[in-house]
Amino acid sequence: MSLVHNAHLPIGVFDSGVGGLTVLNAIRQRLPNENLIYLGDTARVPYGTKSASSVTRYAEQAAKALIERKIKMLVIACNTASAVAIEPLQYLYPDIPVIGVVGPGAEASCDATQSQHIGVIATEGTVNNQAYQNAILKRLPSASVVAHPCSLFVALAEEGWHTGDLVKQIVETCLEPFKREDHSLIDTLVLGCTHFPALKNVIADVMGDAVSLVDSAETTANAVASRLEAGQLLNMKALKGDVQFLVTDGPTRFARVAQHFFSDPIPTSEIQLVDIQHFAH
Ligand code: DGL
């Protein structure tokens, strides 16, 4: 069957855990008719501190689990996995669009900047891999890009610590490098991690009005919509799409922590536990 006739199939979205629900939420808001399958690899989260080869293997296993369920598009919601595994996954699955969060986020930051000084915050893995830095410089070679890891924000976001004086102090301390004289010219900051949109208000407060924040969840949802439209893969049914949830560990914790990232409650009974570690390429 050609791709055009597969428009009714779901979009597969995967992340290292619960944070990718920010991307799922953005896709659901942008494309409410689409059916979605979300896989959170909660057994192996965090990806942000693991080696590129481990994350690539995990990403290939997550992708395979979704491909087996028949999807029309694969979205890598995890920034760390997008940074290291987009090319291997595009190579493995040439018949469907494979979209990561790094490209759309980088593009949006190039559109947003006036000063051509762009900051990126992400996990250690994403920063070290230089994926955002390279993607931005490819589009805007004259840009200056400064990236800093802010892994602590992942724990804050999962614990639901999104506001308050203590959170502000932590965010101020982590973002302090962007206030130093040599880096103070940035006018755009990319939130290059699934969890960071949950702390958007406090990050905006600390960075001030002169810095625009790029939420890679929103930009990815726009990229998903454009790719589906270009491939005539949009689901034209008037009904609201279904969302299916798969996790590799701890459905109860996933359901609890999900409330910080997803707009609707997710009952534990609707979360399926799956084993993906046996998949090999
Ligand atoms: N999903 C990861 C990312 O966007 C954050 C959590 C992790 O380290 O696994 O980079």
Side-chain angles (χ1 to χ4, degrees):
M1 204 195 289
S2 83
L3 284 175
V4 175
H5 297 116
N6 283 354
H8 64 282
L9 290 179
I11 302 169
V13 179
F14 82 85
D15 177 49
S16 56
V18 75
L21 291 173
T22 54
V23 178
L24 191 77
N25 225 10
I27 296 174
R28 203 172 59 144
Q29 271 163 21
R30 181 75 180 70
L31 298 163
N33 301 348
E34 295 296 334
N35 297 315
L36 303 165
I37 310 184
Y38 180 88
L39 169 60
D41 190 8
T42 41
R44 296 185 290 196
V45 70
Y47 283 7
T49 50
K50 309 261 165 46
S51 67
S53 64
S54 292
V55 174
T56 304
R57 179 163 45 89
Y58 301 164
E60 286 178 1
Q61 290 172 327
K64 192 149 191 189
L66 289 169
I67 295 282
E68 277 203 340
R69 285 172 169 80
K70 305 253 182 292
I71 53 172
K72 64 180 175 184
M73 171 186 268
L74 180 66
V75 179
I76 314 171
C78 177
N79 289 257
T80 312
S82 299
V84 300
I86 183 112
E87 281 169 18
L89 292 180
Q90 284 173 335
Y91 175 79
L92 284 167
Y93 302 110
D95 295 336
I96 58 165
V98 177
I99 292 190
V101 283
V102 172
E107 200 170 315
S109 72
C110 295
D111 291 344
T113 189
Q114 302 272 326
S115 72
Q116 308 215 344
H117 290 268
I118 299 172
V120 178
I121 50 173
T123 64
E124 208 179 308
T126 305
V127 170
N128 291 345
N129 173 273
Q130 309 248 327
Y132 272 105
Q133 295 94 312
N134 292 337
I136 291 168
L137 291 173
K138 201 169 141 196
R139 289 166 178 80
L140 195 60
S142 52
S144 116
V145 190
V146 184
H148 287 291
C150 292
S151 305
L152 198 54
F153 292 179
V154 172
L156 290 179
E158 290 207 1
E159 292 304 322
W161 288 32
H162 303 162
T163 52
D165 291 345
L166 188 53
V167 175
K168 191 165 175 198
Q169 273 174 32
I170 297 170
V171 171
E172 264 166 356
T173 307
C174 294
L175 298 182
E176 200 272 327
F178 293 108
K179 301 277 181 186
R180 285 192 209 131
E181 210 179 321
D182 51 339
H183 293 158
S184 63
L185 296 170
I186 69 154
D187 67 353
T188 304
L189 181 67
V190 181
L191 308 182
C193 174
T194 47
H195 290 62
F196 298 176
L199 297 169
K200 208 174 180 176
N201 290 344
V202 63
I203 295 171
D205 193 18
V206 168
M207 293 309 293
D209 291 343
V211 175
S212 4
L213 302 184
V214 171
D215 178 341
S216 46
E218 278 170 18
T219 54
T220 301
N222 290 335
V224 166
S226 309
R227 279 299 283 279
L228 288 179
E229 200 174 355
Q232 292 178 278
L233 283 165
L234 280 170
N235 191 338
M236 304 309 270
K237 271 205 289 196
L239 296 175
K240 200 166 179 250
D242 286 338
V243 192
Q244 244 180 290
F245 296 96
L246 314 174
V247 295
T248 53
D249 193 32
T252 311
R253 182 176 193 277
F254 182 88
R256 176 167 52 80
V257 179
Q259 61 179 311
H260 303 306
F261 301 95
F262 203 58
S263 46
D264 291 339
I266 307 172
T268 309
S269 57
E270 285 179 19
I271 304 169
Q272 193 188 336
L273 188 61
V274 292
D275 178 12
I276 64 170
Q277 297 195 27
H278 59 282
F279 289 127
H281 278 291

